[in-house]
Amino acid sequence: MQICTGDFDGDGRQDLAFLRYPIQMLTVMRNISSSGNLAFGAPQDIGTVGSGYEPCLVGDIDGDGKADIIANGAQTLFRNISTGTNIDFQRINFAGVGQGNCALQDMDLDGRPDIIFADAASNFVSISRNTGVPGSISFANPSTFFTGQGAYYVSVADMNGDSKPDMAVANQIEGTISILKNMSTTGNLQFVLQTNIQAAANGQGLNSIALGDYNQDGKPDLLAGVMNNGKMRFYQNNSSSELSFFETQLFSDVLSTYQFIPYDINGDSRLDAVLARSNSSPELPGFALLRSIFTGVGPVFASPVFFKSGIYGLRNAIVADLNMDGRPDVATVNATDPVISISLNQIGIAAPEILCGNGNTVLTVANSGTIFQWQQNTGAGFFNISDNANFTGTQTPSLQLSSIPSAWYGYQYRCLINGLPSAPQKLVFATFWTGAVNNNWNNPGNWNCGEVPDTNTDVFINCGIVDVTDTVSCRSLTIRPTAIVNCERAIIITR
């Protein structure tokens, strides 16, 4: 599959669109999430796309304020005709190449986004100039510009500060990056090849690049990844009027990079990079995060941090705030797995406080202020709390929680320190099977909390034999391969 994202119904949420192979179908899922709660509507088939396995792209092509979709290397366009919460598209055939990625950018500065597409079977990149008007999509015949051998991936940005978007093209076969300077005028496309950067050996599969101002000097730099040797290179932009780059950092352990996504993941105003990695081993798939650490000197990125996502053959990824909590999340799809994997951003969120039902705990913040006020969020927002039978120390750095019922699962707590909120801490109720007495689920002595799980408790059975002879309930159930659960009656899971 391939995945892309956009607000298709204009409700402020990022919906998902994905290309399903081998049936060549574009499908969308409407985002119905609320703050911190991830949810999507049922999949909705939109229409068939051309052959191939190239990415989809989202942008307002016809200038009507709605997010349209470019599919499969610009072979098929979908004009957004959604109304209200009803997502709908008009399918339009388009003469794209279908053997490389594409980009959407106003290349001749006429106020309309043009389509740029690479062709891995050729030595050029093509640009179709947008001639449409609001409500009608149309393009001029493509103009072609020569690059290196096997043009596969294109990234677009103004590299020299002349307000014209230039192009970097990854040439998959010969391992070079072609840098093309934009010399266009309104209605007239013109590009000049400035240089070819040798980023990989011939045939090693250079197929992912991304422009972005990673070192905060006002110029877009270049990341390049090689499929077959697992290396990633960082090139700093040294352009004046002419375009030039030089390599300043090399990573040899990022594995097979399929795609880069520049994005500030941790909210520190530095541009990080998410790496989608395509691998042939089930133990290795997923994405990596390159965190920007540049302070004016030294390396630009910290060592990559890897995250598991889906099964092998990861195809591509998107970055967007999917659960409406203000943090960018990562969604990935795999070549052979018909599942979307969503990794929610947990930066700035404290680890959950795990309790037994009617249990006690203490939440603590740094003693770095003079005025403290603890707050509780039961699902409708944070509000001040005061000392009572459940709370002690509501105006101190340490909040004592006593006899907390499991019905408070998911409640959040934070402390205002001199008026500034701390990171929220969430309550989670869980119990673990011990089997200390016998195999009976309904015996309280078999659970570490000393009570039978209820509908608000997460249950973990890591080992042993459990017999369920009566209908039982829990919020969630995790059974490890080393455990056996014999069910004569139902286990009702309420999550």
Side-chain angles (χ1 to χ4, degrees):
M1 293 202 301
Q2 298 280 3
I3 189 172
C4 50
T5 183
D7 182 8
F8 301 129
D9 57 357
D11 67 352
R13 298 176 177 90
Q14 289 293 307
D15 309 301
L16 297 179
F18 45 98
L19 305 179
R20 297 160 55 204
Y21 307 115
I23 64 173
Q24 310 302 125
M25 177 65 68
L26 174 69
T27 301
V28 299
M29 292 174 61
R30 181 170 174 260
N31 192 336
I32 55 175
S33 302
S34 58
S35 180
N37 298 307
L38 184 69
F40 288 88
Q44 175 186 346
D45 290 341
I46 297 299
T48 57
V49 300
S51 61
Y53 297 88
E54 306 313 321
C56 57
L57 181 67
V58 174
D60 182 9
I61 298 174
D62 60 346
D64 65 353
K66 297 180 179 180
D68 308 302
I69 299 175
I70 303 170
N72 240 26
Q75 291 189 81
T76 313
L77 308 181
F78 291 88
R79 178 175 167 260
N80 192 337
I81 55 174
S82 304
T83 57
T85 59
N86 179 39
I87 295 178
D88 196 10
F89 289 84
Q90 173 193 4
R91 185 184 185 278
I92 301 172
N93 289 327
F94 185 76
V97 295
Q99 298 186 53
N101 91 309
C102 55
L104 189 65
Q105 183 74 40
D106 180 10
M107 304 302 283
D108 63 347
L109 305 183
D110 67 350
R112 291 174 288 197
D114 309 304
I115 297 180
I116 310 102
F117 45 92
D119 185 2
S122 71
N123 304 327
F124 59 79
V125 63
S126 297
I127 303 176
S128 289
R129 192 169 62 84
N130 192 336
T131 58
V133 296
S136 177
I137 291 177
S138 64
F139 288 87
N141 290 330
S143 301
T144 59
F145 303 94
F146 286 98
T147 59
Q149 197 174 6
Y152 183 77
Y153 205 103
V154 59
S155 187
V156 179
D158 177 12
M159 301 181 196
N160 60 354
D162 65 356
S163 300
K164 296 180 180 180
D166 309 296
M167 292 188 292
V169 181
N171 302 307
Q172 191 177 52
I173 296 176
E174 67 178 39
T176 60
I177 304 171
S178 295
I179 306 297
L180 290 90
K181 181 181 179 181
N182 191 341
M183 305 289 289
S184 304
T185 56
T186 301
N188 178 39
L189 294 168
Q190 184 177 358
F191 286 81
V192 175
L193 178 62
Q194 293 268 279
T195 186
N196 279 322
I197 302 171
Q198 192 72 50
N202 189 30
Q204 285 192 337
L206 173 69
N207 67 336
S208 55
I209 56 174
L211 289 162
D213 184 10
Y214 302 104
N215 62 358
Q216 297 181 298
D217 66 353
K219 298 179 181 180
D221 310 299
L222 186 61
L223 282 172
V226 182
M227 177 66 75
N228 295 337
N229 68 7
K231 292 183 178 180
M232 187 209 75
R233 300 179 186 274
F234 173 75
Y235 296 92
Q236 182 174 321
N237 189 337
N238 195 40
S239 302
S240 53
S241 61
E242 303 302 306
L243 308 182
S244 65
F245 292 81
F246 64 96
E247 183 178 340
T248 63
Q249 195 169 4
L250 170 67
F251 289 99
S252 300
D253 56 354
V254 295
L255 304 177
S256 303
T257 304
Y258 192 88
Q259 177 192 25
F260 292 108
I261 306 172
Y263 215 104
D264 179 9
I265 295 296
N266 59 355
D268 65 353
S269 299
R270 294 186 177 99
L271 197 60
D272 311 302
V274 173
L275 287 63
R277 302 179 300 131
S278 179
N279 305 284
S280 59
S281 168
E283 287 76 28
L284 298 177
F287 64 93
L289 174 62
L290 283 176
R291 184 172 60 87
S292 175
I293 57 172
F294 189 70
T295 58
V297 294
V300 175
F301 296 105
S303 297
V305 179
F306 300 99
F307 299 89
K308 188 76 179 289
S309 178
I311 61 172
Y312 69 89
L314 188 147
R315 196 66 183 178
N316 77 313
I318 59 97
V319 179
D321 179 13
L322 297 176
N323 66 344
M324 302 295 290
D325 68 349
R327 300 176 179 88
D329 310 302
V330 178
T332 63
V333 292
N334 302 82
T336 58
D337 182 12
V339 173
I340 299 172
S341 300
I342 297 178
S343 299
L344 296 178
N345 191 335
Q346 300 293 292
I347 293 174
I349 299 177
E353 189 73 18
I354 301 176
L355 298 171
C356 295
N358 298 308
N360 307 319
T361 191
V362 177
L363 306 179
T364 303
V365 295
N367 190 2
S368 58
T370 57
I371 301 174
F372 300 87
Q373 176 60 62
W374 282 90
Q375 295 184 318
Q376 181 185 47
N377 178 8
T378 61
F382 283 96
F383 56 89
N384 292 346
I385 55 176
S386 57
D387 288 6
N388 57 25
N390 298 119
F391 304 130
T392 305
T394 55
Q395 294 183 348
T396 72
S398 298
L399 176 66
Q400 172 73 51
L401 286 80
S402 304
S403 302
I404 303 302
S406 63
W408 288 19
Y409 190 109
Y411 284 15
Q412 292 181 316
Y413 297 85
R414 71 182 185 185
C415 186
L416 298 182
I417 307 172
N418 291 348
L420 298 177
S422 65
Q425 301 178 64
K426 183 173 72 171
L427 299 186
V428 169
F429 292 84
T431 189
F432 294 81
W433 174 262
T434 65
V437 179
N438 51 36
N439 295 342
N440 188 354
W441 175 295
N442 283 319
N443 189 324
N446 288 323
W447 301 97
N448 78 301
C449 286
E451 59 182 13
V452 177
D454 63 13
T455 57
N456 300 306
T457 302
D458 296 325
V459 170
F460 295 87
I461 303 175
N462 294 327
C463 60
I465 299 174
V466 184
D467 295 330
V468 180
T469 57
D470 296 301
T471 299
V472 297
S473 299
C474 59
R475 184 180 182 275
S476 69
L477 175 62
T478 301
I479 304 172
R480 302 299 181 192
T482 51
I484 298 174
V485 178
N486 300 315
C487 292
E488 296 181 13
R489 299 292 179 90
I491 300 176
I492 299 175
I493 298 175
T494 60
R495 182 175 181 177

